[in-house]
Amino acid sequence: MDFAAAFTRDPQAAPYPVRCDASAAAVFAVLAAVLALTVDDGRAPDALGWALLLAAHVPLAWRRRAPMPVLLAMVACVVPYHALDYMHLAPIPASMTALYTVASTGRPRRTLFVGLSVTSVTLTIQVFVNPHEMVELLRVSGWVIAMLVFGASIRLYRQLVAGVVERAEREAERKVAEERLRIARDLHDLLAHSITLIGVQTSVAAHVLVADPDRLDREALVKALDGITETCREARSEVRTTLDVLRATPEGPLPDLASLPDLVRTSGADLTVRTGSAKVPAAVGAAAYRIVQESLTNAVRHGSPGADLSVDVGLEKDVLTVRVTNGGSAPGGTGGSGYGILGMRERARSVGGTLSAGPRDGGGFEVAAELPLPGREVTV
């Protein structure tokens, strides 16, 4: 039996409480009978004494369902039993169990009231039965108080464990929500980038078909269609990877700087990576990758035809810098109905970095991010 689980578990939620408590009551009744026959601290029980002693154990079967009524029923049997000076030790285990149940399931005010009441009744009976036994008075009172304190301590411990478990569940739910948000962002970035490139390549193919049908540029048309096929293949692969991560574990492989060449190749941008042998944390690498992906998506969607796109990723001290430049005209400032720039700022903020986006002085548009590298290690 797991005693730690028994102490921390809510007694009201235990399986088969009446059956378990009835079995315990039977054991306590047998113990009380043995004590009544072997211990000499009062008169041997007669028929009335045995009836009161055994009747006091019957309510224990419902001690967790109704702690206070059970205690009152036991007091109704135990008080005349002790008043008639029968073997006093016999009903003590069952009485202490009832007191413990009341203290471990009730509020402090009720526990205090029960303690004062039971102590008063006990002392009153003891004064009438053995008025000269002061040590016995103190011993009985001490047992009552100790059992109530023990029950109250168990109740407080259960509340503490329940609070810890609740906080852990809330933290787990928060992490699940964050992971869902991360996956949603990844899917948004992936699909937005892929669909935008497909739209541009489709426009090129349509333009080739309708611009001059008599002089059809088949090579340009095939190139545009091949680009659509390649973009669809890459998008399908990344979506499959993301779904595999969802099936396997909340923490999955993240895109990193090593994936940038494949990313920028489809957009025709110039890529420069100046990180050397630095080890970039996975979260920072994923943030940089998604920032570049969203920046290229916006550049392809809003940039001028033939605009020069460049991606520069470098390392300055303990900061990873990401700069995506669109050499065309700025697409009407930083406005728009989407969440691209807001999402990129949130990406940078998630790893403690910053991001700025806006028109360049010499024309065009630029996205610049600075992502700190905590505890950076460089291999030699």
Side-chain angles (χ1 to χ4, degrees):
M1 179 179 179
D2 191 347
F3 289 99
F7 279 124
T8 58
R9 181 179 57 197
D10 182 4
Q12 307 295 337
Y16 311 111
V18 176
R19 184 187 305 175
C20 294
D21 291 337
S23 301
V27 172
F28 280 125
V30 173
L31 177 61
V34 173
L35 292 174
L37 295 174
T38 58
V39 177
D40 185 14
D41 65 342
R43 294 193 304 119
D46 52 17
L48 177 60
W50 283 112
L52 291 173
L53 181 61
L54 297 179
H57 290 76
V58 174
L60 282 180
W62 295 274
R63 68 180 184 91
R64 279 183 282 190
R65 289 287 181 87
M68 279 301 298
V70 167
L71 179 62
L72 294 176
M74 288 196 65
V75 169
C77 296
V78 170
V79 167
Y81 179 89
H82 287 298
L84 294 174
D85 197 23
Y86 292 117
M87 297 295 184
H88 296 288
L89 185 60
I92 294 300
S95 302
M96 295 297 105
T97 301
L99 285 174
Y100 162 78
T101 305
V102 170
S104 63
T105 58
R107 295 183 179 181
R109 182 178 301 177
R110 190 181 77 175
T111 301
L112 179 61
F113 174 76
V114 170
L116 293 175
S117 301
V118 172
T119 303
S120 300
V121 172
T122 304
L123 293 179
T124 302
I125 295 175
Q126 190 69 24
V127 166
F128 282 103
V129 175
N130 294 314
H132 304 293
E133 294 289 340
M134 295 302 299
V135 176
E136 186 67 16
L137 290 175
L138 295 176
R139 185 177 68 85
V140 173
S141 301
W143 275 109
V144 171
I145 295 174
M147 189 55 62
L148 291 174
V149 171
F150 177 65
S153 301
I154 293 298
R155 180 183 59 81
L156 293 176
Y157 177 68
R158 285 171 178 160
Q159 291 178 348
L160 176 63
V161 171
V164 172
V165 172
E166 183 180 0
R167 286 193 296 271
E169 291 176 350
R170 287 201 302 265
E171 180 66 16
E173 291 176 356
R174 184 184 65 82
K175 289 183 178 180
V176 170
E178 289 180 353
E179 185 63 19
R180 288 176 177 173
L181 181 59
R182 182 186 72 81
I183 293 172
R185 287 173 178 166
D186 288 347
L187 289 176
H188 168 268
D189 295 342
L190 165 65
L191 296 177
H193 177 76
S194 302
I195 292 173
T196 299
L197 290 179
I198 291 174
V200 172
Q201 292 159 347
T202 304
S203 299
V204 172
H207 176 75
V208 170
L209 287 173
V210 303
D212 192 355
D214 297 333
R215 301 177 59 185
L216 182 64
D217 190 347
R218 297 182 179 275
E219 183 178 352
L221 179 60
V222 170
K223 184 178 180 181
L225 294 177
D226 287 342
I228 294 174
T229 303
E230 181 67 19
T231 301
C232 291
R233 185 181 299 111
E234 292 179 357
R236 183 171 61 250
S237 177
E238 289 201 37
V239 169
R240 183 183 298 113
T241 300
T242 302
L243 295 179
D244 289 340
V245 169
L246 284 175
R247 296 189 189 101
T249 173
E251 300 293 337
L254 299 175
D256 53 16
L257 300 183
S259 306
L260 286 179
D262 293 335
L263 175 66
V264 301
R265 178 171 49 83
T266 57
S267 62
D270 295 329
L271 173 65
T272 302
V273 179
R274 301 177 290 102
T275 57
S277 58
K279 292 184 179 180
V280 179
V284 177
Y289 179 92
R290 294 309 185 190
I291 289 173
V292 172
Q293 185 180 52
E294 183 65 24
S295 300
L296 293 177
T297 299
N298 292 338
V300 172
R301 181 185 300 153
H302 301 296
S304 303
D308 295 330
L309 296 177
S310 64
V311 178
D312 181 85
V313 179
L315 191 63
E316 298 179 2
K317 295 183 179 179
D318 292 338
V319 176
L320 183 71
T321 61
V322 179
R323 192 177 304 274
V324 182
T325 304
N326 177 11
S329 60
T334 61
S337 58
Y339 297 93
I341 294 178
L342 291 177
M344 288 189 291
R345 285 202 177 99
E346 186 63 26
R347 287 277 184 184
R349 190 180 298 114
S350 67
V351 293
T354 58
L355 182 138
S356 60
R360 301 172 60 202
D361 293 338
F365 198 81
E366 183 178 78
V367 175
E370 294 184 354
L371 311 176
L373 304 180
R376 180 170 67 91
E377 299 179 0
V378 179
T379 58
V380 180

